Amino acid sequence: MTDWYYDFIMAITIKDIAKRVGVAPSTVSRALNGRGRMSSLTREKIRQVAQELGYYPNMLAKGLTTRKTGSVGVVIDRRHIPVERSFYSAIIEAIESTATPHGYHVIFATLKNHSSLKMVKERKVDGVVLIGTDISDELASPLLEEIPVVLVDNHLQGVDSVAVDNVGGAYRAVEYLIELGHRKIGFITETMRDLSFRERFTGYQEALKKHGIKLDEQLIAEGGRQRGSGSIAIEELFDGKILPTAIFVANDYTAVEVIWAIKAAGLKVPEDISVVGFDDNDIARIVEPLLTTVHVPRKRMGEEAFRRLLALIGDSTLPPTKIVFPTELVIRDSSGYKARSTS
Amino acid sequence: MTDWYYDFIMAITIKDIAKRVGVAPSTVSRALNGRGRMSSLTREKIRQVAQELGYYPNMLAKGLTTRKTGSVGVVIDRRHIPVERSFYSAIIEAIESTATPHGYHVIFATLKNHSSLKMVKERKVDGVVLIGTDISDELASPLLEEIPVVLVDNHLQGVDSVAVDNVGGAYRAVEYLIELGHRKIGFITETMRDLSFRERFTGYQEALKKHGIKLDEQLIAEGGRQRGSGSIAIEELFDGKILPTAIFVANDYTAVEVIWAIKAAGLKVPEDISVVGFDDNDIARIVEPLLTTVHVPRKRMGEEAFRRLLALIGDSTLPPTKIVFPTELVIRDSSGYKARSTS
DNA sequence: CTGAAAGCGCTTACAG
DNA sequence: CTGAAAGCGCTTACAG
């Protein structure tokens, strides 16, 4: 009776197992962690009882002595919410689903409120992955001193990162447009302040150059970080002397707005203007026409980010590595041959 | 020199502060936690030194003695990923952003692998919110014995929950369709196995009844839990004797598929058939035409879920409460008056 | 092969 | 008002 009561209130500890098996708690610890040689008989007995009792280690106690928590932090910049929601969600899901089989939990935080530094300082995590493009050096540094860090979709000198081949992806997208016969190819981005977007711009430039097309400032527009960025940028382009026959947009969300704006202006996509995005966000398959875009392997990036973090947790002296994933152009309905009639 | 070295390797503890101020560690603890009376002079001195040293409590140690971790778990059914990604992401974000100012961290997990039970048993969280519609009694029960639980978008006897007025929302949506002149109003759902969807069906029935419209089995279709569910359901409806002039769809994602299927059949939305969804998911503003739908206040639900959980963590004897949020019909472009010409 | 002891960093009665 | 001690549940040298 009292036994039952006790069990209900308190969780099972190694002491309980020790008593039941008739050994010392330290022996239970060794058996369960597989440390040190010991008779496989007592080991088996202990494991069996632990199982029977439904024992789980108290990670607070375990962590206090081992300095490992079995958790990792995943931090995302608030700015990416909710606009790029599905993009970053996919990465986070991938991290979670690869962390779980390794016995790790994932603490999810947003960049405001220093809550990421807090979780590190409070010793709640063994490492952290920082997702997104706004992670500054000042933010990363204090973390780096304490704990392994992996950057996703960003890069800082001397810090591990998993990124995507933005230059190559953009290059391929623009080259594809050129292959379709386009020569007046616009470039639209929310902002040039993001590393990823600048890299995509570089790819755009390189593709033009490679094919002997001169860069035209009038075909480049920055819509700003806000809703409606795409339509602001389109207005800017349309105000110029020359109309593009195709536009490469630095991310899908803005590309969708660009499509809307083009349609609102009474033009057709892709008949009048082809549009190609970047990311292969969920919305790319919802807009009309379905968006041609550059696929970013978010799942693989998330998986790799966790794996890399795990390696660093195991050995923090590993030299910083930058892992770059290739992209893939996904051709859908928003792009087509340049119309003959147009200039 | 050695001092610096020491500081760098080890984190600051109350012992360090105690030494510096010249008091006992227990005094530091009391000062920092504001427990017990003490001279406000030493208290201030201690707090100041803690601040200077950049002290953060080791939550593992703190949690070991207080049995509080300062973390809560948020668990989502794997099935909701990625289809309903943005829907549940918004709730999770809301939970995170209301948890942070309270000093709490959020552990995010998915329902597979028992990783949710694991985090509870390992004492990593003080409470958990279970999001989504697939949380069974068997899953919730073992958690309930250990820790406070709040359900979101679901309900179980005797468990705290925050939900949405599915019946009322569906009622309003269908009544709106009736006001537009529609009489042959279809109902499409992925499945009737979800509580939410059944409730929405109830609202549909009640609205018809209230306005003296007979329920017609031929106008009801279940597309199944899969991609393309909406188009499967549409085929079923179109195979029937009578064509609906409006369709109420139990969730937005399926509603989008329904719109696609209608357009693929050569009909127009809303001219030929009006479509109304439920959720006000991000995609509702991306489809064409923009989807009329029932807004679910995900942000407020997430906030309230955390607040409720916090209350239960403070006092686990609070009687179970079911909080139901009202919905709001958001009229966009996928719905319109019933065309005169049609039968 | 296994036990007793110390320690991880905190809090909390208990003295004084 | 404040200090010394015990304890939270685990691990890890250290003995034996």
Side-chain angles (χ1 to χ4, degrees), chain A residues 165-331:
Chain A
D165 181 12
N166 286 308
V167 177
Y171 183 96
R172 178 70 196 104
V174 174
E175 185 173 59
Y176 156 74
L177 254 10
I178 294 170
E179 285 162 10
L180 290 177
H182 296 283
R183 289 292 172 277
K184 291 169 185 162
I185 302 172
F187 176 81
I188 286 179
T189 182
E190 279 181 32
T191 174
M192 288 291 192
R193 306 188 71 165
D194 266 27
L195 177 59
S196 302
F197 296 158
R198 282 199 305 272
E199 290 177 343
R200 291 166 194 183
F201 181 57
T202 301
Y204 163 81
Q205 291 178 98
E206 289 183 0
L208 293 187
K209 191 169 178 188
K210 169 82 178 182
H211 290 84
I213 301 173
K214 219 177 102 246
L215 191 75
D216 189 333
E217 288 289 343
Q218 286 183 78
L219 289 175
I220 298 165
E222 207 175 326
R225 259 184 193 155
Q226 55 199 283
R227 285 235 160 152
S229 176
S231 92
I232 290 168
I234 277 292
E235 265 179 52
E236 200 181 317
L237 285 198
F238 284 8
D239 279 353
K241 301 246 158 50
I242 41 176
L243 217 59
T245 64
I247 301 174
F248 170 57
V249 189
N251 68 332
D252 283 355
Y253 196 87
T254 308
V256 167
E257 293 181 340
V258 163
I259 288 178
W260 288 343
I262 293 173
K263 288 159 94 173
L267 297 176
K268 285 183 163 180
V269 177
E271 291 80 355
D272 297 310
I273 302 181
S274 286
V275 175
V276 175
F278 204 116
D279 282 347
D280 199 16
N281 204 314
D282 290 356
I283 57 173
R285 282 180 297 186
I286 310 273
V287 234
E288 209 159 313
L290 268 35
L291 185 65
T292 292
T293 187
V294 179
H295 179 76
V296 174
R298 292 160 283 177
K299 190 150 172 283
R300 290 178 58 203
M301 289 170 71
E303 290 166 359
E304 192 53 40
F306 177 77
R307 269 192 224 108
R308 186 67 198 157
L309 189 58
L310 195 58
L312 287 167
I313 290 170
D315 176 5
S316 61
T317 68
L318 260 30
T321 300
K322 180 173 185 177
I323 301 168
V324 178
F325 280 94
T327 60
E328 198 175 338
L329 182 66
V330 181
I331 298 174

Side-chain angles (χ1 to χ4, degrees), chain A residues 13-14 26 29 33 55 65:
Chain A
T13 69
I14 53 170
S26 50
S29 171
N33 291 305
Y55 171 76
T65 85

Side-chain angles (χ1 to χ4, degrees), chain B residues 13-14 26 29 33 35 55 65:
Chain B
T13 69
I14 54 171
S26 51
S29 171
N33 292 302
R35 294 195 190 291
Y55 171 76
T65 85

Side-chain angles (χ1 to χ4, degrees), chain B residues 34-332:
Chain B
R35 294 195 190 291
R37 299 269 128 259
M38 66 189 306
S39 97
S40 54
L41 205 141
T42 55
R43 162 162 293 146
E44 270 324 302
K45 179 70 180 158
I46 288 169
R47 291 201 168 156
Q48 192 190 315
V49 171
Q51 172 106 38
E52 273 173 34
L53 262 36
Y55 171 76
Y56 283 81
N58 179 324
M59 289 306 279
L60 300 173
K62 192 165 186 166
L64 191 56
T65 85
T66 61
R67 307 196 156 273
K68 289 279 180 273
T69 63
S71 299
V72 299
V74 172
V75 179
I76 181 181
D77 191 287
R78 181 99 204 128
R79 193 181 67 70
H80 294 304
I81 296 169
V83 167
E84 321 237 41
R85 183 133 56 203
S86 87
F87 187 78
Y88 288 107
S89 295
I91 295 178
I92 295 170
E93 284 159 20
I95 292 174
E96 193 274 340
S97 77
T98 116
T100 300
H102 287 274
Y104 277 80
H105 288 282
V106 170
I107 294 188
F108 163 65
T110 250
L111 215 46
K112 59 160 201 267
N113 291 90
H114 304 286
S115 119
S116 49
L117 182 61
K118 185 166 172 279
M119 77 182 160
V120 169
K121 289 284 198 179
E122 290 182 350
R123 306 284 140 187
K124 282 187 171 180
V125 289
D126 300 333
V128 7
V129 2
L130 261 28
I131 303 182
T133 226
D134 260 17
I135 311 295
S136 64
D137 213 347
E138 301 90 77
L139 188 105
S141 301
L143 299 186
L144 286 166
E145 290 181 7
E146 310 261 353
I147 219 172
V149 170
V150 172
L151 265 23
V152 172
D153 217 17
N154 195 7
H155 184 64
L156 289 175
Q157 198 51 247
V159 186
D160 281 80
S161 62
V162 356
V164 76
D165 181 12
N166 286 308
V167 177
Y171 184 97
R172 178 71 195 103
V174 174
E175 185 172 60
Y176 157 73
L177 255 11
I178 294 170
E179 285 163 9
L180 290 177
H182 297 283
R183 289 294 172 273
K184 291 170 187 162
I185 301 172
F187 177 80
I188 285 179
T189 182
E190 279 180 32
T191 175
M192 287 292 193
R193 306 188 71 165
D194 267 27
L195 176 60
S196 301
F197 296 158
R198 283 199 303 273
E199 290 177 344
R200 290 167 193 183
F201 182 58
T202 301
Y204 164 80
Q205 292 177 99
E206 288 183 0
L208 294 187
K209 191 171 179 187
K210 170 80 177 184
H211 290 84
I213 301 174
K214 219 175 104 248
L215 191 75
D216 188 332
E217 287 289 344
Q218 287 184 79
L219 290 175
I220 299 165
E222 207 176 326
R225 258 184 194 158
Q226 57 198 283
R227 285 237 158 151
S229 177
S231 91
I232 291 168
I234 277 292
E235 266 181 52
E236 200 181 318
L237 285 198
F238 284 8
D239 280 354
K241 301 246 159 51
I242 42 176
L243 217 60
T245 64
I247 302 175
F248 170 57
V249 188
N251 68 332
D252 282 355
Y253 196 86
T254 307
V256 167
E257 294 182 338
V258 164
I259 288 178
W260 288 343
I262 292 172
K263 288 160 93 173
L267 297 177
K268 285 183 162 181
V269 178
E271 291 79 354
D272 297 309
I273 302 182
S274 285
V275 175
V276 175
F278 203 114
D279 282 347
D280 199 16
N281 203 314
D282 290 356
I283 57 174
R285 281 181 298 186
I286 310 274
V287 235
E288 210 160 310
L290 269 34
L291 186 66
T292 292
T293 187
V294 179
H295 179 75
V296 173
R298 291 161 284 176
K299 189 151 172 283
R300 289 177 59 203
M301 288 170 72
E303 290 166 359
E304 192 53 40
F306 177 77
R307 269 192 225 108
R308 185 66 197 159
L309 189 59
L310 195 59
L312 288 167
I313 289 170
D315 176 5
S316 60
T317 67
L318 259 31
T321 301
K322 179 173 185 176
I323 301 167
V324 177
F325 280 93
T327 61
E328 198 175 337
L329 181 66
V330 181
I331 297 174
R332 288 197 270 250

